[in-house]
Amino acid sequence: MSDRGQKSRDHELPLAPLRRIFRSQGADRVSDDAVALLREYLEKVAREIALEAVEASRHANRKTVTDEDVKFAISRLQRTYMLQSL
C-alpha cells in the first residue's frame, strides 16, 4: 500500500504528517499500511463533512462555507453515526 516515490492524485492528504501524528503519540515505528489506512479514513470523513457543510451553506443561500457550517456538518454526522450504531 506504500506510495513512496509516487505522486498519488487519488489522495489529498500526504502520508508524512500522518506518520508524524503517530510518532507524536508515542509510536516508535509505524507501518506504511497503517498510515495509508488512517489517510483513507480521514479523507472519507473529511469528504462527508465537506459535503454536509456545502449543503448547509447552500441551504442558507450562501456561496461561502463557514466554520458554523462545518460545526453543523460534524454535529449532524455524529448524530447519524450514533443512530446507526443502535
Side-chain angles (χ1 to χ4, degrees), residues 48-49 51-53 55-56 59 69-83:
E48 291 176 10
I49 292 169
L51 179 61
E52 289 287 333
E55 288 177 5
H59 181 73
D69 297 323
V70 174
K71 289 175 188 176
F72 171 78
I74 291 169
S75 173
R76 183 173 174 164
L77 289 170
Q78 284 177 331
R79 283 193 304 268
T80 300
Y81 288 134
M82 289 194 62
L83 289 175

Side-chain angles (χ1 to χ4, degrees), residues 25 28-29 38 47 59 78 83:
Q25 297 305 304
D28 293 326
R29 297 174 57 187
L38 178 60
R47 283 186 188 94
H59 181 73
Q78 284 177 331
L83 289 175

Side-chain angles (χ1 to χ4, degrees), residues 1 4 8-9 11 14 18 23-24 26 29-31 46 49 51-54 58 64 68 75 80-81:
M1 256 190 159
R4 282 187 193 179
S8 175
R9 301 282 180 216
H11 299 286
L18 300 176
R23 290 204 175 122
S24 74
R29 297 174 57 187
V30 184
S31 74
I49 292 169
L51 179 61
E52 289 287 333
V54 168
R58 287 183 180 154
T64 302
E68 292 301 318
S75 173
T80 300
Y81 288 134

